[in-house]
Amino acid sequence: MSVMEAADSLLPAQLAALMARLDPQHGAALQPLLQRLLAALASGHVCLSGMTRDEFALLRHSPLAGRPGDYAPLIVDDAGRLYLARQWQDETRLVAALQALAADPQPLAGDVDSVLDSLFAGAPRGDWQRLAAWLATQHRFMVISGGPGTGKTTTVVRLLAALAALSGRPLVMAMAAPTGKAAARLTESVRAARDALPVDAATRAQLPDKAQTLHRLIGLLPGTARPRHHAANPLPLDVLVVDEASMVDLTLMAQTVAALPPHARLILLGDRYQLASVDAGAVLGDLCSQQAWRTATAAQLQALGTTPPGRVDDSAMLADSVVVLEKSHRFGEHSGIGRLARAVNAGDTAQVGTLLADAANLDIASQPQLPEAAGLHALRAGYWQALDELGEGDNWPALFAAFNQCMLLAAERHAVTQINEQVSAELVRLGRKPADSDWYPGRPVMITRNDYSVGLFNGDIGLTVPRGGRLRVIFPTTDGGWREVSPARLPEHDTVYAMTVHKSQGSEFGQVWLALPPQPTATLTRSLVYTAITRARQRFVLAGSLAVLQAAVQYAPARQSGLAEKIWGRGLTA
């Protein structure tokens, strides 16, 4: 059960009874504070800050609360943050594991520059993609962050090839992502990049050819107390790459790092500006909140004509371990999508309004609301044409490509449900969908719950097609193939003409429409807007009020945790 589900399921009466039983003297008085903590966890925070003097006094006198290292259900750290014991342990263990990785760099020997010159042919030695790869040959822990099109996947494939070429023995490498959808996309991207590498067959053979979910990698199955792989039973790996790391919550990241063997290298990829996990923690954001460099490294970068961002600090735990790629190869200097995303990240509401109002920006637009049902259906005309042309054939790549040309996004689930119902009603009117059945050719579905027995996972998208007089749902597989599943065998799922912005992470679409609510809400944040914009490859359309959008751009709440402070030090700014 997730933290969010626990907060929702714990009734006030049950909580009061538990507190009274464990601490008869203070239990009743502590109940409101614990409920605030659970609400904070459900909102993505790891801990609760800002307690009053009376609340601190109450915690000091209660056997339910302890200091770091105590055996107690509640922990109050030296900075005055209140944790559930599990979150405090996860955060503490993750910091210790990252410190151990950083303290044992294990630089590779050999002619590193020659290998990188071959892999990054034509790139100057001061290019940040090449520098990220060079740093990864010198350290066991590497974070590579960047927006869409900045070359994270290209960099990591070349980086892995460099590790393989420089190693004195064959390496065992693996790739993982938090969702099946992100794992499939990583597999596709890495395969395309790997085949173009200027390396010998032995080096190419060491590179991983498919990604899997983190849950499957570490053996975290429903109903199990802990993953199959942990510190006492580590993964048989030399190198692990985790993509879409912004979506990984604190507990899962702590479990993943704990499952690595003592000699392994860990490489995290992701966009620090994207939405964080729906569960507690914003690990990638905390890791990328600073950049620091050892004195010798800073001098090398400056000699290459590159000014290292951040500070020079030999004592920083993650010095030389965080690289942020800024140059987008997808969204050029004059791209409306790229400029809009940058304006959102900067919190520049005036620039956001100017860009959307400028008709010269052909790849971005805005209008007061979404089209009516007929207009929503028309946005997917290419998909329905591809379905009609499919017949009994199996040109699944073309069908999925047509489907992925457009996606409607919303901040909240109820808005997504309304859009999906509108489109479904229009399909009934057009005769494409039976009024008395959910199943029909063309129905797109998204899996909403992991099912290991069927091999389908939360976020997987399938398309319904006719096969031999019956309906089947086609899903892409992580090995680049396809599988057919009977509708009756599907785990929990939704129709997906529209999805929440959270669910869109790890995906890209030709055209993206973002439907805004009529008023600002707590879920409508800067990171949500940025994530929605950067799902679009060719065109982004805002459907809603500019004022509501600008309010969202201004709203950038930080998730409360102690991770950034423990890694980078108190009082430092990004």
Side-chain angles (χ1 to χ4, degrees):
M1 179 182 295
S2 71
V3 170
M4 188 173 295
E5 291 170 332
D8 289 341
S9 65
L10 193 59
L11 300 176
Q14 295 172 314
L15 181 60
L18 177 64
M19 301 296 286
R21 187 165 64 250
L22 296 177
D23 184 0
Q25 183 177 357
H26 307 98
L30 274 174
Q31 181 184 353
L33 184 59
L34 183 54
Q35 287 181 313
R36 280 174 50 207
L37 174 58
L38 291 175
L41 293 173
S43 297
H45 302 290
V46 173
C47 55
L48 180 66
S49 300
M51 291 182 292
T52 67
R53 183 176 300 177
D54 290 342
E55 288 171 335
F56 277 120
L58 188 63
L59 289 166
R60 278 200 306 272
H61 291 95
S62 172
L64 295 174
R67 303 293 294 166
D70 290 345
Y71 184 75
L74 300 174
I75 300 294
V76 182
D77 74 1
D78 295 337
R81 292 178 287 247
L82 177 64
Y83 293 80
L84 288 181
R86 177 182 173 181
Q87 273 65 48
W88 180 83
Q89 290 168 354
D90 286 341
E91 187 174 275
T92 302
R93 289 170 181 167
L94 178 58
V95 171
L98 294 179
Q99 187 171 27
L101 277 168
D104 181 23
Q106 296 185 17
L108 293 177
D111 193 348
V112 176
D113 281 335
S114 177
V115 170
L116 293 178
D117 285 344
S118 173
L119 290 166
F120 291 86
R125 291 190 174 182
D127 175 79
W128 275 108
Q129 290 186 25
R130 188 188 187 283
L131 287 171
W134 170 66
L135 289 166
T137 67
Q138 308 301 303
H139 302 278
R140 290 178 54 217
F141 180 59
M142 197 72 220
V143 181
I144 303 175
S145 179
T150 52
K152 297 186 297 294
T153 303
T154 300
T155 301
V156 81
V157 172
R158 295 174 181 176
L159 181 165
L160 293 177
L163 296 179
L166 292 164
S167 174
R169 61 176 177 81
L171 298 177
V172 179
M173 303 183 181
M175 303 186 302
T179 67
K181 179 172 57 177
R185 183 161 162 254
L186 177 62
T187 297
E188 181 182 0
S189 299
V190 167
R191 281 184 173 174
R194 184 190 62 178
D195 293 343
L197 288 175
V199 296
D200 57 37
T203 298
R204 184 176 283 106
Q206 295 180 56
L207 305 185
D209 65 347
K210 67 178 180 178
Q212 57 187 308
T213 65
L214 280 171
H215 290 79
R216 171 159 285 193
L217 175 75
I218 66 175
L220 187 61
L221 301 176
T224 56
R226 67 173 180 172
R228 183 172 66 254
H229 291 288
H230 44 77
N233 181 34
L235 291 160
L237 291 178
D238 298 305
V239 183
L240 174 62
V241 174
V242 178
D243 195 19
E244 297 291 352
S246 65
M247 301 166 63
V248 183
D249 63 83
L250 172 66
T251 297
L252 182 56
M253 186 67 80
Q255 291 170 325
T256 300
V257 177
L260 293 175
H263 69 278
R265 294 174 185 265
L266 174 62
I267 302 160
L268 302 182
L269 306 178
D271 186 344
R272 60 175 175 167
Y273 293 118
Q274 270 192 200
L275 281 166
S277 165
V278 294
D279 278 314
V283 176
L284 184 69
D286 287 338
L287 295 179
C288 295
S289 63
Q290 299 283 325
Q291 283 182 273
W293 310 93
R294 290 179 172 84
T295 302
T297 304
Q300 286 177 279
L301 296 180
Q302 288 168 346
L304 293 171
T306 300
T307 302
R311 70 185 192 275
V312 176
D313 185 352
D314 290 284
S315 66
M317 183 192 301
L318 298 187
D320 296 356
S321 295
V322 178
V323 168
V324 178
L325 303 177
E326 300 285 358
K327 182 180 179 181
S328 176
H329 302 278
R330 181 184 307 166
F331 304 129
E333 181 182 351
H334 301 295
S335 160
I337 293 175
R339 288 189 292 164
L340 184 62
R342 290 190 290 272
V344 167
N345 276 342
D348 190 341
T349 55
Q351 179 70 354
V352 166
T354 300
L355 288 168
L356 286 171
D358 188 351
N361 294 319
L362 300 180
D363 58 345
I364 58 175
S366 66
Q367 58 187 59
Q369 59 190 17
L370 286 175
E372 297 298 326
L376 293 176
H377 172 72
L379 290 175
R380 292 195 178 276
Y383 170 61
W384 295 108
Q385 180 179 346
L387 181 72
D388 292 340
E389 294 173 351
L390 186 68
E392 289 286 333
D394 57 358
N395 192 3
W396 312 137
L399 187 65
F400 272 83
F403 176 78
N404 287 329
Q405 274 305 301
C406 182
M407 182 52 69
L408 305 169
L409 303 181
E412 297 171 342
R413 184 174 173 80
H414 70 85
V416 167
T417 300
Q418 184 179 32
I419 295 169
N420 284 325
E421 288 176 349
Q422 282 182 280
V423 176
S424 296
E426 178 66 11
L427 293 173
V428 172
R429 189 185 72 81
L430 294 172
R432 282 193 174 271
K433 176 187 180 302
D436 59 351
S437 175
D438 286 335
W439 288 105
Y440 52 93
R443 183 193 180 193
V445 297
M446 174 183 281
I447 303 303
T448 58
R449 185 173 294 274
N450 294 339
D451 189 324
Y452 288 85
S453 65
V454 182
L456 293 173
F457 303 96
N458 186 14
D460 288 352
I461 291 179
L463 302 178
T464 307
V465 299
R467 295 286 281 170
R470 298 176 297 176
L471 293 179
R472 290 291 183 265
V473 187
I474 307 299
F475 291 88
T477 60
T478 56
D479 61 2
W482 306 88
R483 60 179 303 202
E484 302 177 19
V485 181
S486 167
R489 292 195 64 205
L490 293 183
E492 293 180 25
H493 57 273
D494 290 329
T495 301
V496 66
Y497 297 109
M499 66 176 73
T500 62
V501 178
H502 271 283
K503 289 287 189 182
S504 75
Q505 288 182 269
S507 298
E508 292 176 353
F509 306 96
Q511 179 179 186
V512 166
W513 289 62
L514 173 61
L516 297 180
Q519 301 294 332
T521 67
T523 58
L524 197 58
T525 64
R526 180 183 300 172
S527 60
L528 183 139
V529 172
Y530 169 81
T531 302
I533 293 169
T534 53
R535 297 314 88 202
R537 293 185 67 93
Q538 285 97 34
R539 192 165 187 259
F540 171 79
V541 182
L542 171 73
S545 160
L546 177 60
V548 172
L549 177 70
Q550 290 175 322
V553 171
Q554 290 179 313
Y555 183 47
R559 290 195 172 186
Q560 296 175 18
S561 82
L563 183 61
E565 180 182 309
K566 291 172 182 175
I567 289 174
W568 295 110
R570 182 177 301 184
L572 297 172
T573 58

